[in-house]
Amino acid sequence: LSSTFTFGNMLRYFGKNKLYLKNASVIEALSKVNTIVFDKTGTLTYISNASVDYCGVPLTRPERSYIYALAKDSAHPLSRLVKDHLLRIHTILPFAVKDFKEWPGKGTEGIIDGKKVKVGSCLFITGFADSKTNSAEVWVSIDNDVKGFYRIHNQYREGVKEMAAKLESKNYQLHILSGDNDSEKKQLHNYFP
């Protein structure tokens, strides 16, 4: 009876602190955890606060609208950042996407206004290995003409470095999952040695 009462109170306490567990038996399992795996995008970084810059051939208003139309249907967080960036600083024209295809971790493509538009990794767009920059990139091509890329600089959440140090001092093994290329590796070493 006392363990049921204790676990019920702990579930309420966790809930007040925005940690929602499936059931009380998870509390006992938590006491045995020795390894923690973080998802980088959206967990360690602010998705909406990343800065986005375009590098490449200047895009026309319709071309920016094609990219927006394709990015808005993508499930990838970087595509959503590009979509939000375009919507925030440009007037977007409405275009429908035909033959939309998405390859997780690679990119998306579709036919927009009769043109084949692709948005994704450097390898997906150019056929060459990722460029060696210190940021994530979303590359763009229209009718197989590589236009350039959107460079995304992540902003890490406050307290990440302190949290990682505290967890490491308690002998937890820490790992990070990311769909990014190695561009963020150096930055992540500042937080997770």
Side-chain angles (χ1 to χ4, degrees):
L1 186 61
S2 67
S3 65
T4 304
F5 179 75
T6 302
F7 288 161
N9 279 331
M10 287 306 299
L11 283 174
R12 279 192 293 281
Y13 176 78
F14 287 147
K16 286 180 183 177
N17 289 285
K18 298 183 173 137
L19 174 63
Y20 304 103
L21 303 178
K22 181 178 178 181
N23 56 46
S25 64
V26 175
I27 295 171
E28 284 188 83
L30 283 173
S31 69
K32 298 174 185 161
V33 169
N34 62 7
T35 303
I36 300 171
V37 181
F38 293 95
D39 175 39
K40 184 187 75 65
T41 305
T43 303
L44 300 176
T45 61
Y46 291 110
I47 292 177
S48 59
N49 288 357
S51 68
V52 179
D53 302 314
Y54 176 73
C55 302
V57 178
L59 298 169
T60 65
R61 183 176 173 196
E63 288 173 334
R64 289 190 298 267
S65 298
Y66 301 160
I67 295 164
Y68 172 84
L70 193 60
K72 79 176 175 55
D73 290 336
S74 174
H76 197 281
L78 295 180
S79 290
R80 289 193 303 252
L81 285 173
V82 169
K83 171 199 67 124
D84 292 343
H85 168 76
L86 288 168
L87 194 58
R88 190 172 46 252
I89 65 169
H90 297 290
T91 303
I92 300 299
L93 302 169
F95 285 102
V97 179
K98 296 178 185 172
D99 300 327
F100 177 84
K101 294 178 190 143
E102 183 162 31
W103 289 274
K106 295 179 182 175
T108 59
E109 69 177 64
I111 305 297
I112 304 169
D113 197 27
K115 300 181 184 320
K116 183 177 182 179
V117 181
K118 292 175 72 175
V119 173
S121 69
C122 183
L123 182 61
F124 181 70
I125 301 299
T126 67
F128 299 106
D130 290 340
S131 63
K132 302 295 180 200
T133 64
N134 291 329
S135 60
E137 298 171 350
V138 176
W139 285 71
V140 176
S141 73
I142 299 173
D143 280 339
N144 296 317
D145 180 21
V146 177
K147 297 293 184 175
F149 60 90
Y150 289 89
R151 182 178 293 141
I152 296 157
H153 302 279
N154 290 306
Q155 181 180 357
Y156 287 84
R157 294 181 185 272
E158 288 182 33
V160 168
K161 191 170 191 168
E162 294 79 10
M163 175 205 58
K166 193 173 191 178
L167 290 171
E168 282 187 329
S169 74
K170 295 184 180 201
N171 296 320
Y172 286 104
Q173 290 183 18
L174 303 179
H175 301 276
I176 297 171
L177 296 176
S178 175
D180 291 346
N181 55 28
D182 286 346
S183 64
E184 286 287 312
K185 191 173 184 178
K186 185 176 179 182
Q187 180 74 4
L188 283 167
H189 275 293
N190 292 330
Y191 295 95
F192 296 89

